[in-house]
């Protein structure tokens, strides 16, 4: 579930907080890192639970209309059609998934304002009206409906983003990644008729990568800073922002520690982190410095790559 890119990003954030406070407790850093990974799984479950939460909201609207002296039949019919969509029905019947959510405190109950906003957005869309107009919507129709909901109503939704950020410090940065994963998994969920909460890592190799990257940087951070400083021209070490120093240090540590990861992959990954998590000028600074350092270290044997790690190597 957790990609190498996301591992690097979360490792960077954990290492940044550790380096900034002078903490070198690798066990504590690893524990917090894996807690952050676990929160990604909880967010995946929360987003997968959305169709059930929307179904419940539609059913509540039906009950409210029926209590009125003059109920709006059109609203009742619309909510009934939506509430009975095959995908929401399937998810609610998935006892293993629902139990997982209950056991891990995953619920939309604390996001009522966000849920109302999402529901209102959906009801105003043409794709929703087209679904409601169908005589007998099937699973494929429901999947198309929720594909539009997940791809159009959640990302860049400030109401939802504010609620997620207030609820969990890790969730907002993971939202786009989780939504993309869920969109890719919708057909499989319908086919299996169940939601599978992905494991933290696709392989033990990825788990080992996460542990070793954080530990290597923390234990060797002073030496890594010296290496960076020795390769800087026209720059004083005191002028380098902490985020840039850490990004370059992580790149060096990864290149030296993991012989099967191509140098180009390492460089590109940390350049992307610099784009989003450092200063506006960090991209060119990290790109030039990391390229030069890794090229020199590879040339003099301080970095050794096996054949797999030479694919896309530096020239």
């Amino acid at each position: 579930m957790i990609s190498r890119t996301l591992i690097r990003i979360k490792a960077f954030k954990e290492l940044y907080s550790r380096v900034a406070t002078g903490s070198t407790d690798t066990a504590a850093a690893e524990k917090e890192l894996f807690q952050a990974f676990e929160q990604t799984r909880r967010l995946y479950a929360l987003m997968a639970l959305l169709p059930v939460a929307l179904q419940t909201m539609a059913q509540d609207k039906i009950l409210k209309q029926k209590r009125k002296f003059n109920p709006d039949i059109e609203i009742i019919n619309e909510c009934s059609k939506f509430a009975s969509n095959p995908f929401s029905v399937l998810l609610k019947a998935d006892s293993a998934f629902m139990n997982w959510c209950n056991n891990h405190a995953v619920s939309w109950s604390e996001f009522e304002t966000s849920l109302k906003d999402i529901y209102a957005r959906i009801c105003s869309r043409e794709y929703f009206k087209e679904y409601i107009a169908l005589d007998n919507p099937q699973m494929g129709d429901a999947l198309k409906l929720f594909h539009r909901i997940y791809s159009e109503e959640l990302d860049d939704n400030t109401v939802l983003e504010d609620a997620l950020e207030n609820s969990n410090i890790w969730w907002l940065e993971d939202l786009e990644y989780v939504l993309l994963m869920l969109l890719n998994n919708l057909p499989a969920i319908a086919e299996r008729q169940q939601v599978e909460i992905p494991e933290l890592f696709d392989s033990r190799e990825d788990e080992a990568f996460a542990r070793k990257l954080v530990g290597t940087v923390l234990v060797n951070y002073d030496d890594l800073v010296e290496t960076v400083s020795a390769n800087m021209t026209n720059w004083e070490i005191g002028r380098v922002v902490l985020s840039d120093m850490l990004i370059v240090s992580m790149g060096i540590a990864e290149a030296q520690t993991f012989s099967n990861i191509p140098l180009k992959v390492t460089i590109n990954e940390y350049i992307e982190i610099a784009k989003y998590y450092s200063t506006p000028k960090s991209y060119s600074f990290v790109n030039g410095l990391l390229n030069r350092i890794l090229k020199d270290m590879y040339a003099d044997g301080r970095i050794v790559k096996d054949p797999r790690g030479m694919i896309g190597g530096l020239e």
Side-chain angles (χ1 to χ4, degrees):
M1 176 183 181
I2 305 296
S3 69
R4 287 287 178 95
T5 296
L6 192 60
I7 289 173
R8 291 181 178 96
I9 291 171
K10 288 187 178 293
F12 164 73
K13 291 193 169 186
E14 176 61 28
L15 287 166
Y16 185 92
S17 67
R18 293 281 161 183
V19 172
T21 58
S23 172
T24 58
D25 187 337
T26 56
E30 184 179 297
K31 180 179 179 180
E32 289 191 8
L33 180 65
F34 278 72
Q35 286 176 343
F37 292 147
E38 183 61 34
Q39 293 306 317
T40 306
R41 296 179 81 212
R42 291 186 66 242
L43 180 61
Y44 181 90
L46 181 70
M47 292 299 114
L49 190 62
L50 177 63
V52 177
L54 292 172
Q55 178 192 50
T56 301
M57 179 161 284
Q59 292 168 337
D60 289 343
K61 288 181 177 292
I62 294 170
L63 291 176
K64 288 178 181 178
Q65 283 296 323
K66 289 183 175 180
R67 293 191 190 106
K68 293 182 177 180
F69 182 74
N70 289 312
D72 190 321
I73 302 302
E74 184 177 347
I75 291 179
I76 291 176
N77 291 338
E78 179 182 279
C79 291
S80 297
K81 177 70 73 70
F82 179 63
S84 62
N85 79 81
F87 191 64
S88 292
V89 172
L90 181 157
L91 294 180
K92 192 169 185 178
D94 184 353
S95 58
F97 170 59
M98 298 301 291
N99 288 336
W100 194 98
C101 291
N102 289 333
N103 293 336
H104 291 79
V106 174
S107 169
W108 280 87
S109 59
E110 66 174 295
F111 303 108
E112 185 176 355
T113 300
S114 300
L115 195 62
K116 288 180 178 178
D117 177 73
I118 294 168
Y119 193 94
R121 287 168 179 255
I122 294 168
C123 291
S124 69
R125 304 304 190 197
E126 190 62 33
Y127 67 77
F128 177 78
K129 296 173 184 176
E130 291 173 357
Y131 178 85
I132 298 301
L134 295 173
D135 290 333
N136 185 28
Q138 302 299 306
M139 180 62 76
D141 302 309
L143 286 179
K144 290 178 182 178
L145 172 66
F146 280 101
H147 193 283
R148 297 291 295 270
I149 292 171
Y150 281 120
S151 59
E152 298 179 25
E153 311 304 342
L154 305 183
D155 196 21
D156 293 328
N157 180 326
T158 55
V159 176
L160 176 62
E161 289 175 352
D162 289 344
L164 292 176
E165 189 172 31
N166 290 332
S167 177
N168 191 300
I169 60 173
W170 290 286
W171 277 356
L172 185 55
E173 69 178 38
D174 288 348
L175 181 60
E176 183 178 355
Y177 175 79
V178 164
L179 289 177
L180 180 59
M181 184 186 308
L182 190 54
L183 282 167
N184 291 334
N185 288 344
L186 288 181
I189 292 172
E191 183 178 353
R192 292 191 302 261
Q193 298 192 358
Q194 64 179 17
V195 178
E196 292 185 0
I197 306 298
E199 296 297 326
L200 277 183
F201 301 101
D202 293 332
S203 67
R204 290 185 177 180
E205 187 176 286
D206 285 345
E207 180 178 354
F209 172 77
R211 294 181 187 277
K212 200 166 186 179
L213 178 62
V214 168
T216 299
V217 174
L218 272 183
V219 170
N220 299 288
Y221 187 68
D222 289 342
D223 292 337
L224 291 166
V225 170
E226 284 188 20
T227 299
V228 176
S229 179
N231 285 273
M232 291 173 57
T233 56
N234 302 321
W235 277 83
E236 296 177 3
I237 193 70
R239 293 174 56 200
V240 181
V241 296
L242 175 59
S243 54
D244 287 354
M245 178 60 71
L246 179 56
I247 290 169
V248 176
S249 296
M250 289 179 70
I252 297 170
E254 180 176 311
Q256 286 187 299
T257 307
F258 302 97
S259 62
N260 62 331
I261 300 177
L263 292 176
K264 279 291 187 183
V265 170
T266 295
I267 292 170
N268 290 338
E269 289 283 347
Y270 289 103
I271 288 173
E272 288 301 310
I273 292 176
K275 282 183 184 179
Y276 291 100
Y277 296 101
S278 197
T279 66
K281 295 182 179 180
S282 295
Y283 167 81
S284 57
F285 177 78
V286 170
N287 184 17
L289 185 56
L290 194 53
N291 260 290
R292 185 170 66 253
I293 292 174
L294 297 191
K295 184 177 181 179
D296 290 346
M297 294 181 74
Y298 179 74
D300 63 22
R302 284 180 291 164
I303 291 176
V304 178
K305 293 292 179 182
D306 62 28
R308 182 176 159 196
M310 282 306 298
I311 299 173
L314 294 174
E315 296 179 358

